[in-house]
Structures are given as C-alpha cells and as structure tokens.
Amino acid sequence: EEQAWVAISKNRQFDIAVLVGGLILLSFVLVFQDWLARDPTLLTYVRNGFHVYTLFFIGWWGLAQLSVINVLTFVNSVMHGFRWENFLLDPMLFILWGFVAVTLLLWGRGVYCGWLCPFGALQELILIASRKLKLPEIEFSDAVHERLVALKYIILILLFGISLQSLTEAAWYAEVEPFKTVISLRFQREWNYVLYALILIGVAAVNRKFYCKYLCPLGAALAIPGRFRLFEWWLRRRKECGKPCQVCANHCSVRAIRSTGEINANECHYCLDCQVIYYNGQVCLPLIDRRKRREQQLKRGQEARTKDHENKVVVAEGNPDGMITPNQH
C-alpha cells in the first residue's frame, strides 16, 4: 500500500517543480549577488518579481506559508517521538523548510524573511504602492526601535512555554501571526481576524515590514539558529563603514545596520540594498573619497606635464638654433 505522503507528493508534482525552480533561481541570486548588486535596476526587477512569485505562488496557490507553529510542532515532536511521515504529508512545506535550514547556516534568517515569506512579500509590495502614492514613511526613534525589536522574542518565549503544556492552545495564541488569515484563508475569516491583519498591512505601508521587525515570532525563531551561520563575508563591508560613513545605516529601512557599521544578521532581511551602495561610486563615501583622490592625482600629474611642456616650449623659443646657452650647462 502506497504511503500517504508519497501519494500527496505525486498529486502535487507541478507545484513541487515550480517551487524547486524558484528555489534554484533564488540560489543563483544569492551566489551571484555581487554581480547583481552592481546593477540596481536589474536587482529591483528581480527582487520585486520574486516577491510576486512568493506571494501568489508560494503563498496563495501553494499555501506554503511557514509559521511558528511549525517550529513548535517540530520541537514537540522531537520531545515526544519524532516521525518523518508527519512532516512529509505537506511536501511544499517540507521542501521549503529544508531550503530554509540550509540558508540559515549559510546566510542567516534574512533569506527567508526577505525573499520567501508570503506575508513579508505582501508587505514589500504594499510599500512599493505606498511610495508611488507618496505616502509618508514613519520611523521610530532609536530608543523605541531597540525596545520594540525585543517584542518578537518575548512572544516566541511565551508561545514556547504554552506549547509545552498544550500545542493546541499555543496554536490559538499563535494567531498573533496574520498568516492564516491573509495567506491560508485569503481573508475569508471572522471580521476581527481580518481587521487585525488589515491594520498590520496598513502600518506596513508607512513603516517598512513593521510586523516582521517587531512582532513576528517565526522571525525570532529563525534568528536563533541563524546566529550559527558559517560565513560572515556574504554581505561586504568596508573599514570606513560606520566610522565615519553612515550611508548604509541611514538607507536600511529595516534598521539592521548598527551605527558602528556592522550588519545585525538577526534583523537583516537580505534585501541587498547595502550591497548596491557598496558598489556605487556615486553614493558610497569611501568610493567617492578614493575617486576624488585619484582625480586629484591625475590633475596634479596633468598640471606637471603641462608645466614641463610649457618650459620646453619657452626654451625652444629662446634658442631657435638649438645652441646650448650658458644657463643650460
């Protein structure tokens, strides 16, 4: 008798193929990010196009929105008898979680939060629309921001504690995530759930990814293993970053760059905007300074060559017969 997860996988072969294709494309984007960051227009098209793919295919079509409940269920399963079959019943979620596990070790939480989360993609698309409508962007002060960031970790701890007693009860409290309302049920729910989701979406129109930055327990859960990533050099920095240059920190809408120049991988959504600045000789202050020094050196060299040429002309005009004067000995 064929196992249930095998039959489900066969029935969803098309969905699995499209998902795997999207993950392969994203892998190329991540590996060749330096080349892509040198072309801001192309990067914008690729990123926005991938957000559309994430929202409509992974989210609303494939229903593959990851949730903190997946994390709590996995932990509960490990503690009370783990079985692979329980997780293979949804092949889309299983494949996506496998890819996220790999990217956590290589790049950190930002790959999922910035590229593969359907609700995160919806927020990004909403922000694009709000900017076209020229809506104001509202930011909190540094003191308020730093305190709000801790909220998602507090929510995660509370949910984990509740899940130890009852996973069903934890699932109810996990409605702090609007994923079920917006993605799984496509707003077909009771009015209070829909209102809550719409409020979060509305806030995201004036504060980039407000929910992700401050309330998302899934993002907090991913940040914990993301601290053990193997590489630090994917996102390039210069020694001048933060000392004194603050361009990247001021441009980072998710505020993942510290004033000292370091990128906080726990909060980074891997949008690659800082990498665009890194390679932009018209925006990056260290590159601007180096260009100005080169231009000054070239100018001084040109002036020296011009002056030398003028001296030779003067000498030639004063000695048309080519005779050596006493002053030339």
Side-chain angles (χ1 to χ4, degrees):
E1 184 179 353
E2 191 174 57
Q3 294 187 14
W5 68 270
V6 176
I8 294 173
S9 298
K10 289 181 178 180
N11 290 332
R12 304 197 67 181
Q13 287 181 358
F14 172 78
D15 295 348
I16 292 172
V18 176
L19 175 62
V20 171
L23 297 180
I24 291 174
L25 174 61
L26 179 56
S27 299
F28 276 100
V29 170
L30 297 173
V31 171
F32 297 103
Q33 64 183 42
D34 292 333
W35 172 79
L36 196 59
R38 289 182 170 90
D39 190 335
T41 302
L42 178 60
L43 174 61
T44 300
Y45 281 122
V46 170
R47 189 172 57 202
N48 293 344
F50 206 91
H51 286 152
V52 172
Y53 160 82
T54 297
L55 175 60
F56 286 91
F57 176 76
I58 296 181
W60 284 332
W61 176 269
L63 302 180
Q65 168 75 66
L66 304 188
S67 167
V68 70
I69 286 299
N70 302 141
V71 178
L72 299 178
T73 302
F74 178 80
V75 173
N76 186 271
S77 177
V78 170
M79 295 172 60
H80 299 95
F82 181 83
R83 293 188 62 188
W84 280 111
E85 292 81 358
N86 296 334
F87 298 93
L88 290 169
L89 289 174
D90 192 328
M92 297 281 284
L93 283 180
F94 183 81
I95 293 171
L96 194 56
W97 267 116
F99 184 83
V100 170
V102 174
T103 57
L104 280 175
L105 293 176
L106 296 177
W107 291 279
R109 67 166 278 207
V111 174
Y112 176 76
C113 296
W115 294 82
L116 291 170
C117 176
F119 187 72
L122 174 61
Q123 291 180 91
E124 290 284 50
L125 296 174
I126 289 293
L127 182 68
I128 293 172
S130 70
R131 286 175 174 174
K132 289 186 179 298
L133 295 173
K134 297 182 179 180
L135 297 181
E137 293 191 37
I138 302 172
E139 290 291 346
F140 301 108
S141 66
D142 290 340
V144 174
H145 168 75
E146 291 171 359
R147 286 160 177 77
L148 288 177
V149 163
L151 275 178
K152 60 179 176 287
Y153 296 97
I154 296 173
I155 294 172
L156 174 65
I157 293 171
L158 292 174
L159 289 175
F160 178 71
I162 295 171
S163 71
L164 294 178
Q165 178 178 348
S166 171
L167 195 58
T168 302
E169 188 175 357
W172 187 85
Y173 284 104
E175 290 287 353
V176 68
E177 295 179 327
F179 305 157
K180 185 176 180 180
T181 300
V182 177
I183 304 301
S184 302
L185 299 178
R186 305 182 188 92
F187 296 100
Q188 302 299 310
R189 292 194 82 182
E190 296 83 353
W191 69 269
N192 51 326
Y193 292 104
V194 175
L195 178 62
Y196 170 67
L198 290 177
I199 290 173
L200 292 177
I201 293 172
V203 175
V206 294
N207 185 288
R208 186 179 184 183
K209 302 185 86 169
F210 171 86
Y211 172 80
C212 303
K213 289 187 292 187
Y214 303 129
L215 300 176
C216 184
L218 176 61
L222 295 178
I224 295 173
R227 294 179 61 88
F228 303 100
R229 62 193 178 281
L230 300 177
F231 305 106
E232 298 286 346
W233 42 262
W234 288 103
L235 296 178
R236 303 185 184 278
R237 311 299 290 150
R238 304 185 191 278
K239 63 180 181 180
E240 298 91 347
C241 293
K243 304 174 185 177
C245 183
Q246 297 289 329
V247 174
C248 290
N250 292 332
H251 277 74
C252 183
S253 299
V254 296
R255 304 176 74 171
I257 301 179
R258 299 187 177 97
S259 59
T260 52
E262 298 92 351
I263 295 176
N264 182 1
N266 295 335
E267 305 302 323
C268 176
H269 289 198
Y270 224 85
C271 64
L272 299 179
D273 284 345
C274 61
Q275 300 306 285
V276 171
I277 295 173
Y278 180 90
Y279 289 110
N280 192 329
Q282 305 300 319
V283 180
C284 178
L285 291 185
L287 290 183
I288 292 174
D289 291 340
R290 293 173 193 176
R291 188 187 74 248
K292 288 182 176 179
R293 286 196 295 267
R294 287 196 302 269
E295 291 174 351
Q296 290 174 355
Q297 291 173 355
L298 291 173
K299 184 178 180 181
R300 286 195 294 265
Q302 183 65 32
E303 290 175 349
R305 286 191 295 271
T306 302
K307 186 175 182 181
D308 183 61
H309 176 70
E310 291 174 349
N311 291 336
K312 290 180 179 178
V313 171
V314 171
V315 171
E317 290 176 348
N319 186 18
D321 298 328
M323 296 178 61
I324 300 176
T325 64
N327 292 334
Q328 290 177 303
H329 282 286

